[in-house]
Amino acid sequence: MTVTPTPDTYTFAHLVSSDMERFTGSMDPWWKAFHRGFQRPGLWASLFIRSQQRLTERGHRQVGGMLRGIGIVLLGIDISAGARFGPGLMIEHPGGVTIGPLVVVGSGVTIHQGVDVGVKDPRARGDMPYPVIGDDVVLGSRSAVYGAVTVGDGALVGAYSVVFKDVPPGATVAGIPAKVLKR
């Protein structure tokens, strides 16, 4: 399973452009995401996520944290500093999406509204094991992925599902707790 490139593998411009390609079908210059964000708020979410990711990688955690706060207020999306995302991210409706600080998300991932990815116990402190989301994964509306789990490449997590165990590559899971419906 290939998951998220090392921090400097892709430039900020490439990451935002690859995200925009998922929304529009063309890999336009990254700055066009500003005006296209009026029609597709997920593009603004992409700008916040990519900016926060790049600032955190470069040691500017406080500024990254400020962007997190702005993202919460303006878009309703809560992405913790330190979460890593591969190219081609698509968050169609960013409201209610919450991603923990050490989560790793692969390339070509689609995240629907209200998705929560993080630790089992949010009160826990320290170096907690966070989820790893593979490439080309779809996380359905209001689904949750908790703990030291891996969601394999090409998997589909159904709406309102809660994942506590690893999901095999290409599998479809649903339910609380999520169970494999199809491989």
Side-chain angles (χ1 to χ4, degrees):
M1 174 165 77
T2 58
V3 176
T4 308
T6 56
D8 291 324
T9 301
Y10 296 106
T11 65
F12 171 83
H14 175 79
L15 290 170
V16 174
S17 294
S18 68
D19 297 348
M20 194 164 28
E21 183 178 27
R22 295 282 314 278
F23 284 93
T24 66
S26 64
M27 199 161 175
D28 292 330
W30 72 269
W31 48 268
K32 288 192 174 187
F34 284 111
H35 71 83
R36 290 198 175 155
F38 286 107
Q39 297 168 339
R40 307 298 288 271
L43 286 173
W44 279 347
S46 173
L47 283 171
F48 276 96
I49 291 167
R50 298 310 184 178
S51 299
Q52 184 178 356
Q53 180 179 354
R54 203 47 92 191
L55 287 165
T56 301
E57 289 166 0
R58 299 226 181 333
H60 305 290
R61 290 188 68 80
Q62 275 190 312
V63 180
M66 287 176 17
L67 278 179
R68 176 185 180 191
I70 293 168
I72 291 169
V73 171
L74 293 181
L75 298 169
I77 189 168
D78 185 2
I79 307 296
S80 297
R84 294 186 0 213
F85 297 85
L89 176 67
M90 182 177 202
I91 303 176
E92 185 67 45
H93 302 286
V97 172
T98 304
I99 308 287
L102 299 175
V103 172
V104 176
V105 179
S107 61
V109 172
T110 301
I111 300 175
H112 291 280
Q113 66 270 15
V115 168
D116 188 17
V117 182
V119 295
K120 288 181 185 177
D121 184 357
R123 298 167 298 184
R125 298 279 186 248
D127 190 21
M128 297 297 298
Y130 281 83
V132 174
I133 310 297
D135 296 338
D136 302 313
V137 170
V138 176
L139 299 175
S141 297
R142 310 275 185 242
S143 63
V145 181
Y146 294 130
V149 296
T150 299
V151 178
D153 293 347
L156 170 64
V157 178
Y160 295 92
S161 298
V162 181
V163 175
F164 291 113
K165 295 181 181 175
D166 288 349
V167 176
T172 298
V173 297
I176 302 173
K179 292 182 173 50
V180 175
L181 302 177
K182 177 180 155 187
R183 286 188 189 254

